[in-house]
Amino acid sequence: VFDLELEKVKAEVQKLSAKRVLVHLPEGLMSKADEIVSALPCEVLLWAKPSYGSCDLPTWAPIDVDLIVAYGHSGEHEGVLFIEAMSDREFKLEFTPPGVVGILYTIQFREQAMKLKAELEAKGKKVLLGNPGRMVHYPGQITGCDITSALNIQSEVDSFLFVGEGKFHQGALELDKPVFDAAGNDVRISKKKRHALVLTLKSFGVLLSIKPGQRDEALAKKLKSELERMGKTVYTIVGDDFDSRISNYPVDAFVTTACPRLAGDTELFGKPILTSQEVLGTARLA
Ligand code: SF4
């Protein structure tokens, strides 16, 4: 169960005397829209597409609202109220990670992560929380594109404990130290040897998102010029969201400059999707 913090949203609506509010929900919370709509004393619009991260706010949409309520993420943005939607799921620690332990968690599970930290410390373990990066707010917090809090302490820990669920964030955990869940499974996604694809494939579509939080034209240009330097044919494909229909374009693979976790959807798209780091890393060596 996730805490929708309806009193907090209601108080903000009243403070702003908001008449019309746009609510943006992650896929897993869309079914809770009835609770939100009936709790708010104003007109409520629901954004059609699910929210994936704080990079993904519909602030660019030409629609007149007094407030956007973005559920499931942390952040700061003018005209947007972020609701972290903490989960009450219990995590039972069935395993003690070896050595000095770094704690990593996604925003919904911050309280549980702090409980497990205290539990490990009570067992005499040294536990560290790394300083966060640009996309997150709290020490130890990660997103699918920002694992700075892990990288900042990787040399000081022997293992990590990850408190979260789903494969989306785990896909970012390309770390040299083992990353265990509370049950003791190493949840790192093994690094795929995809650099060879960059060398052998002939044509690429560089994906450029128009979402303000994901748009990176400089990176798209850099990828295009690096790939062209390697003799590849390159097209830039622009959009707000990308789905399997882009596979109709005559390219062998895609490179994402938007959410790096798109790279996990290779099977869904029918053609490989590489991250910009994979391509630039290979280009440097080529
Ligand atoms: S870019 Fe992807 S991983 Fe990063 S915040 Fe946005 S949706 Fe999440």
Side-chain angles (χ1 to χ4, degrees):
V1 178
F2 294 91
D3 181 2
L4 299 176
E5 297 189 53
L6 295 172
E7 287 308 315
K8 183 174 171 182
V9 182
K10 217 173 359 175
E12 187 69 7
V13 166
Q14 279 158 351
K15 191 177 101 192
L16 297 175
S17 304
K19 302 264 177 305
R20 201 181 202 209
V21 165
L22 177 63
V23 173
H24 195 198
L25 295 159
E27 215 166 331
L29 288 183
M30 282 174 145
S31 63
K32 302 284 174 200
D34 54 344
E35 289 178 39
I36 300 168
V37 173
S38 55
L40 298 187
C42 63
E43 183 186 356
V44 180
L45 306 179
L46 302 170
W47 190 246
K49 289 181 180 166
S51 157
Y52 292 110
S54 55
C55 64
D56 184 27
L57 303 170
T59 45
W60 53 273
I63 187 157
D64 200 14
V65 292
D66 302 309
L67 177 70
I68 294 175
V69 184
Y71 267 94
H73 312 292
S74 57
E76 281 169 25
H77 196 290
E78 203 187 332
V80 180
L81 175 67
F82 287 92
I83 298 293
E84 294 171 354
M86 305 299 272
S87 164
D88 66 356
R89 178 181 157 183
E90 290 293 328
F91 288 83
K92 191 171 170 320
L93 198 53
E94 297 169 23
F95 162 84
T96 304
V100 177
V101 184
I103 301 261
L104 306 174
Y105 59 90
T106 55
I107 189 64
Q108 278 76 32
F109 303 103
R110 184 158 55 92
E111 284 168 13
Q112 291 86 336
M114 294 309 117
K115 271 190 208 156
L116 296 187
K117 176 176 180 285
E119 206 176 307
L120 285 171
E121 285 169 339
K123 288 182 182 174
K125 301 288 291 182
K126 183 173 176 188
V127 183
L128 300 180
L129 293 172
N131 285 329
R134 194 173 60 85
M135 295 297 292
V136 298
H137 271 66
Y138 303 101
Q141 184 194 350
I142 64 155
T143 67
C145 62
D146 188 343
I147 59 163
T148 309
S149 54
L151 298 174
N152 278 343
I153 54 170
Q154 182 159 225
S155 62
E156 300 166 57
V157 302
D158 300 294
S159 60
F160 288 99
L161 176 66
F162 173 67
V163 187
E165 54 187 27
K167 296 274 179 231
F168 183 85
H169 297 96
Q170 292 174 9
L173 294 172
E174 289 195 3
L175 293 165
D176 296 331
K177 304 284 171 67
V179 185
F180 298 104
D181 63 12
N185 306 304
D186 190 341
V187 297
R188 281 176 299 175
I189 304 290
S190 60
K191 283 186 188 176
K192 297 185 179 111
K193 302 284 178 208
R194 302 196 302 168
H195 298 273
L197 292 174
V198 184
L199 296 172
T200 54
L201 298 179
K202 302 245 178 311
S203 55
F204 291 83
V206 173
L207 305 182
L208 173 60
S209 172
I210 58 165
K211 288 180 183 173
Q214 295 191 356
R215 182 173 184 157
D216 194 339
E217 291 198 40
L219 179 59
K221 276 188 188 145
K222 186 171 179 184
L223 285 164
K224 189 168 189 302
S225 75
E226 286 293 328
L227 285 164
E228 284 175 344
R229 186 179 62 76
M230 295 167 73
K232 316 291 185 185
T233 302
V234 186
Y235 303 99
T236 303
I237 301 168
V238 185
D240 62 337
D241 267 321
F242 302 98
D243 63 36
S244 59
R245 286 169 288 190
I246 59 170
S247 294
N248 291 310
Y249 284 118
V251 295
D252 298 322
F254 300 99
V255 190
T256 173
T257 64
C259 175
R261 299 279 58 80
L262 266 182
D265 282 343
T266 291
E267 290 79 17
L268 199 68
F269 279 58
K271 289 181 181 177
I273 303 181
L274 302 163
T275 64
S276 54
Q277 289 93 331
E278 285 170 330
V279 170
L280 294 176
T282 308
R284 265 193 296 276
L285 302 174

